[in-house]
């Protein structure tokens, strides 16, 4: 009898854990989507720096336009339709991480990889 009660309690605890974990994942879904998108954009920009020495803001905007991100456990997807929304925060973040530096070249701002 005690074994049966223990198994039922174990199933109940497991079910409660999975339910709460799913609820938390659902709440953080938008944040995770944006983080994935920023990582994809950052990787694209750094790969482009391997091909080119300098990039302008317009080059980066053209590069990241249409970038998509999704989560494997969700059907929701996010796509960059207006790169100007992401570009300022992304460049500032990449500069804070030390991945790129801003250089003034012929009175225009260009960016180089470190």
């Amino acid at each position: 009898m005690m074994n049966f009660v223990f198994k039922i309690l174990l199933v109940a605890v497991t079910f409660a854990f999975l339910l709460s974990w799913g609820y938390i994942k659902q709440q953080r879904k938008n944040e995770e989507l944006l983080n994935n998108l920023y990582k994809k954009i950052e990787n694209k920009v750094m790969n482009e720096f391997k091909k080119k020495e300098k990039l302008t803001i317009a080059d980066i905007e053209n590069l990241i336009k249409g970038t998509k991100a999704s989560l494997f456990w969700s059907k929701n997807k996010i796509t960059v339709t207006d790169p100007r929304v992401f570009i300022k925060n992304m460049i500032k973040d990449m500069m804070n991480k030390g991945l790129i530096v801003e250089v003034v070249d012929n009175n225009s701002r260009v960016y180089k990889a470190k």
Side-chain angles (χ1 to χ4, degrees):
M1 180 71 180
M2 196 63 156
N3 192 14
F4 180 71
V5 171
F6 178 71
K7 287 180 183 179
I8 288 178
L9 285 175
L10 186 63
V11 168
V13 168
T14 303
F15 183 72
F17 172 75
L18 291 175
L19 190 64
S20 61
W21 180 70
Y23 182 71
I24 291 170
K25 290 294 270 183
Q26 188 70 21
Q27 284 181 327
R28 295 182 181 164
K29 180 170 50 173
N30 292 335
E31 183 180 330
E32 286 185 46
L33 272 172
L34 284 174
N35 286 341
N36 283 353
L37 183 64
Y38 275 116
K39 286 178 188 175
K40 276 191 166 184
I41 289 172
E42 188 176 291
N43 288 337
K44 268 189 170 183
V45 171
M46 294 311 291
N47 286 336
E48 190 67 20
F49 275 122
K50 291 178 183 175
K51 298 174 189 172
K52 296 180 181 178
E53 185 178 333
K54 299 177 185 178
L55 292 174
T56 64
I57 289 180
D59 293 337
I60 296 172
E61 284 178 354
N62 289 335
L63 179 67
I64 67 173
K65 188 172 185 174
T67 304
K68 296 178 184 177
S70 64
L71 300 171
F72 73 92
W73 51 268
S74 173
K75 64 181 177 179
N76 295 3
K77 295 180 183 180
I78 188 169
T79 305
V80 176
T81 55
D82 187 11
R84 284 180 247 141
V85 173
F86 288 97
I87 198 78
K88 290 179 184 177
N89 290 333
M90 189 202 60
I91 287 178
K92 188 187 333 179
D93 186 46
M94 289 178 76
M95 287 174 66
N96 289 340
K97 288 180 181 177
L99 299 174
I100 62 173
V101 291
E102 184 178 74
V103 179
V104 177
D105 188 30
N106 297 331
N107 293 330
S108 64
R109 285 189 278 172
V110 294
Y111 298 93
K112 294 175 91 174
K114 273 192 169 180

